[in-house]
Amino acid sequence: MVIYLIAVTVFMIQCFIMFFVYLTEKKPRKHATPVASKSTVPMDEFFYFILIPCLNEGKVIQNTLQNVLKLPGQKHIFVIDDDSIDDTLIKVNNVDGPISTIRRKLPKARTGKGDSLNTAMPMIQIYIRRHHLDPSRCIVGVIDADGVLSNNSIEKLNEAFHNPQTAAAQLRVKMKAPKRILQIFQDIEFFTINHLTQMFRSYLGAVALCGNGQFFRYSTITKKLGTAPWGNALLEDYELTLRMELNGIKIRYIGNAYVDQEALLSVKKLVVQRARWAQGGFNCWKYFKKIFTSRKMSPTQKFDSYFFFFQPILNLLADFSIIYLTVKFIILHLQNPEFLSVVFIALAILGLFFGTMFTLIYLRQLKLHKRIGQIMKSDDMFNFRIRIQKMFLAVGLISYIYVILFFSLLLSIYHELIGQQTWNKTNRI
């Protein structure tokens, strides 16, 4: 009961903090236009190296490359192929532009996303020397093979890195064309809930990198982390976050530009994906002692890391508490089914409150971003045309997603106990 109350209290605090962040967040002006928001930083201020790790990405890689090439500014794309067995390389070779392919072959391939990304760093170093580029004006970015950067992303990144104190930045993340209930849930989770979380982390100076849409200044990172900055945890993005914070590097969050990615279509794949993320968090526990003794990490960064480490365990214990308390309550009132029905209906309605609030905030944010031209495709706005019953189902999924993620936590702990560190890659739609 105590664990359950602690978990509920923590959850309530998180939700109210996010509501507060939303209410105090600087929002686009009602009559703002894309023209009025143009940056004064020249588009060719920086040279961008875009890294795209690939493993059997033939379905999406061509579209991703074409979208990156359309963006303004100086750039070179490194496609890192992890020994694909489909037509990924054929699709890459069919696209003209400043693109280089790095081919990894088994048994040295498929050893993790971190290893794959590190392979590109020496190639970037060679390119910088050969073309006499200023390393402090070279930005390394990572997008997934299905990632599409918003039209204003380079503009906003230039503004961020124009400040010489900015060493790393993370873009907002959005789901592509969310149409099904599970896709809408993931879009609300990333575009709204994760966004508000990152905004609060900005106040703490503890912004976390994501696997998609992360960027950093080449000179700063190689000086402090070397030419292999990524680790090989299953959550390599958060491991890089910790490595940066342990070296006194702060990450900036960019909430007014985003990267699109595909949402999962099946609950089974969602469970497997979140199990990998949870296990990746467990992989990062090896940094616990370094975090505790670090003099470069701020107290708020340490707090954020500790919370990240222990929240899955707290959630799992709370889930078991809910199961136990629910069964106990049913047994005690088994002779009074009417009372049970009323109680469960009341609790179900109460449980929908936070899901409803986040959904309303999500719809509001989409409208604002569409108004100022920051939504790239009309498909991304599908949510305004969905039926009412679909929206209610999405609200229910947001409110009770912990039931599904409970199995993810169990699976992640099982994999960690048996020593399974396989990277369960998400298959493309």
Side-chain angles (χ1 to χ4, degrees):
M1 184 67 179
V2 174
I3 293 173
Y4 172 72
L5 291 175
I6 293 173
V8 169
T9 302
V10 170
F11 171 75
M12 297 280 283
I13 291 173
Q14 284 180 288
C15 289
F16 283 117
I17 285 175
M18 284 188 275
F19 292 156
F20 175 77
V21 169
Y22 171 71
L23 292 172
T24 57
E25 178 186 8
K26 183 179 179 181
K27 299 174 180 62
R29 289 180 287 111
K30 187 174 182 179
H31 301 292
T33 64
V35 175
S37 64
K38 285 295 182 181
S39 172
T40 56
V41 181
M43 281 298 178
D44 60 353
E45 178 84 5
F46 300 97
F47 194 99
Y48 285 86
F49 293 98
I50 307 297
L51 310 186
I52 308 177
C54 291
L55 174 58
N56 301 325
E57 302 286 7
K59 292 182 179 180
V60 295
I61 186 60
Q62 199 163 12
N63 179 64
T64 298
L65 291 173
Q66 290 169 347
N67 277 280
V68 173
L69 290 171
K70 289 177 183 176
L71 294 173
Q74 305 176 86
K75 68 183 80 67
H76 192 89
I77 304 168
F78 284 98
V79 176
I80 310 156
D81 183 72
D82 229 14
D83 203 13
S84 297
I85 58 174
D86 68 349
D87 60 347
T88 296
L89 290 174
I90 296 174
K91 293 290 182 65
V92 172
N93 292 331
N94 286 337
V95 181
D96 294 326
I99 304 170
S100 297
T101 304
I102 301 172
R103 301 182 65 176
R104 305 179 77 213
K105 289 289 185 181
L106 290 171
K108 294 184 178 180
R110 304 185 186 183
T111 54
K113 188 176 178 181
D115 275 352
S116 179
L117 292 170
N118 283 331
T119 305
M121 293 299 285
M123 304 300 292
I124 293 175
Q125 186 179 47
I126 293 171
Y127 190 100
I128 289 173
R129 290 176 177 175
R130 184 175 296 168
H131 293 83
H132 308 290
L133 300 176
D134 180 356
S136 67
R137 294 186 178 274
C138 291
I139 310 300
V140 179
V142 178
I143 62 172
D144 288 342
D146 63 337
V148 178
L149 295 168
S150 61
N151 298 328
N152 68 335
S153 56
I154 299 300
E155 172 191 330
K156 297 304 178 183
L157 285 164
N158 282 349
E159 290 176 3
F161 286 105
H162 188 65
N163 181 347
Q165 300 301 314
T166 302
Q170 174 61 49
L171 293 178
R172 194 172 185 172
V173 181
K174 194 185 183 307
M175 297 296 119
K176 279 182 187 175
K179 299 178 180 179
R180 300 186 183 181
I181 295 167
L182 192 63
Q183 292 176 307
I184 296 169
F185 152 72
Q186 292 168 80
D187 200 29
I188 296 172
E189 178 190 24
F190 277 83
F191 194 69
T192 296
I193 298 175
N194 287 4
H195 164 69
L196 295 174
T197 302
Q198 289 279 47
M199 288 296 294
F200 180 62
R201 280 174 157 169
S202 295
Y203 300 146
L204 301 180
V207 171
L209 294 174
C210 301
N212 203 6
Q214 58 176 266
F215 290 81
F216 59 75
R217 196 185 301 271
Y218 177 85
S219 58
T220 305
I221 300 306
T222 53
K223 180 180 179 181
K224 295 192 175 184
L225 299 181
T227 55
W230 288 277
N232 214 26
L234 289 174
L235 205 61
E236 86 295 328
D237 47 2
Y238 191 69
E239 183 174 18
L240 180 57
T241 299
L242 292 178
R243 287 185 170 194
M244 287 184 177
E245 291 179 344
L246 286 167
N247 283 273
I249 300 171
K250 287 188 177 182
I251 304 164
R252 180 169 173 175
Y253 178 63
I254 301 175
N256 53 359
Y258 67 96
V259 58
D260 247 348
Q261 65 184 43
E262 287 185 350
L264 298 177
L265 291 174
S266 78
V267 173
K268 181 180 178 181
K269 289 180 179 179
L270 182 69
V271 169
V272 173
Q273 181 195 65
R274 301 310 167 89
R276 175 170 62 84
W277 292 356
Q279 189 180 1
F282 296 148
N283 294 160
C284 292
W285 281 26
K286 61 187 176 184
Y287 292 97
F288 194 95
K289 183 178 179 181
K290 289 183 179 179
I291 293 170
F292 185 78
T293 58
S294 175
R295 294 185 177 182
K296 293 185 177 180
M297 286 184 73
S298 68
T300 53
Q301 287 176 332
K302 291 184 178 184
F303 171 79
D304 181 74
S305 298
Y306 296 149
F307 184 75
F308 181 85
F309 289 157
F310 291 113
Q311 187 179 25
I313 301 302
L314 180 61
N315 289 347
L316 187 64
L317 294 175
D319 288 339
F320 279 120
S321 296
I322 291 172
I323 294 171
Y324 169 74
L325 292 171
T326 301
V327 172
K328 184 179 178 181
F329 184 80
I330 291 173
I331 292 173
L332 287 174
H333 299 89
L334 200 57
Q335 304 303 318
N336 193 349
E338 293 82 4
F339 175 71
L340 281 176
S341 300
V342 171
V343 170
F344 281 122
I345 291 173
L347 290 175
I349 294 174
L350 182 63
L352 294 173
F353 172 75
F354 292 105
T356 302
M357 292 300 295
F358 285 126
T359 301
L360 292 174
I361 291 173
Y362 163 72
L363 293 173
R364 175 63 176 164
Q365 288 183 327
L366 282 182
K367 287 181 179 179
L368 286 173
H369 283 267
K370 182 183 180 182
R371 182 185 299 153
I372 62 172
Q374 288 181 2
I375 297 297
M376 293 180 292
K377 300 178 181 178
S378 59
D379 283 350
D380 285 347
M381 303 302 296
F382 180 86
N383 309 79
F384 294 122
R385 301 193 299 273
I386 64 176
R387 296 178 179 177
I388 296 297
Q389 58 264 36
K390 265 193 174 182
M391 186 55 72
F392 276 127
L393 289 172
V395 168
L397 187 55
I398 297 165
S399 302
Y400 296 103
I401 189 62
Y402 66 85
V403 177
I404 295 174
L405 299 185
F406 171 69
F407 296 101
S408 295
L409 288 171
L410 291 178
L411 185 61
S412 66
I413 292 172
Y414 171 71
H415 284 169
E416 190 68 17
L417 290 175
I418 65 174
Q420 181 177 329
Q421 299 291 326
T422 306
W423 179 25
N424 293 305
K425 182 186 171 296
T426 304
N427 294 323
R428 299 303 172 199
I429 298 173

